[in-house]
Amino acid sequence: DYEGFIYLLNSDRAQIDIYSPEGYFLTWIQGDVNTFSEPVAIGINSRNELFVLEKDGPSLFIYDVHGALVNTH
């Protein structure tokens, strides 16, 4: 993102791993039955929101910088 954090799609575990700008693991965003279960792509927009694209849907889940789900499409 624009602050240097690194987001890694871990599709085997249906989660997004989050690392510090220095490369240290911080936390993750876990998919569940109400959100993504088979993520295929991620991206960051100009507001530092994380976009997660779901394989079957297609569905798009949008998270804020704190990892809270803010919107779906």
Side-chain angles (χ1 to χ4, degrees):
D1 68 11
Y2 294 104
E3 296 176 15
F5 290 90
I6 302 161
Y7 299 83
L8 178 67
L9 173 59
N10 186 337
S11 52
D12 289 338
R13 300 181 86 183
Q15 70 184 35
I16 311 303
D17 296 330
I18 304 171
Y19 294 83
S20 72
E22 295 80 25
Y24 297 106
F25 177 78
L26 298 173
T27 190
W28 68 90
I29 298 172
Q30 182 76 49
D32 62 30
V33 295
N34 296 317
T35 61
F36 58 89
S37 60
E38 292 186 73
V40 294
I42 60 175
I44 302 285
N45 70 7
S46 62
R47 293 183 290 189
N48 260 3
E49 294 173 319
L50 173 67
F51 287 68
V52 180
L53 181 62
E54 172 71 13
K55 178 181 177 183
D56 294 326
S59 297
L60 184 66
F61 300 91
I62 305 169
Y63 295 84
D64 67 14
V65 296
H66 305 290
L69 183 65
V70 294
N71 206 346
T72 60
H73 292 279

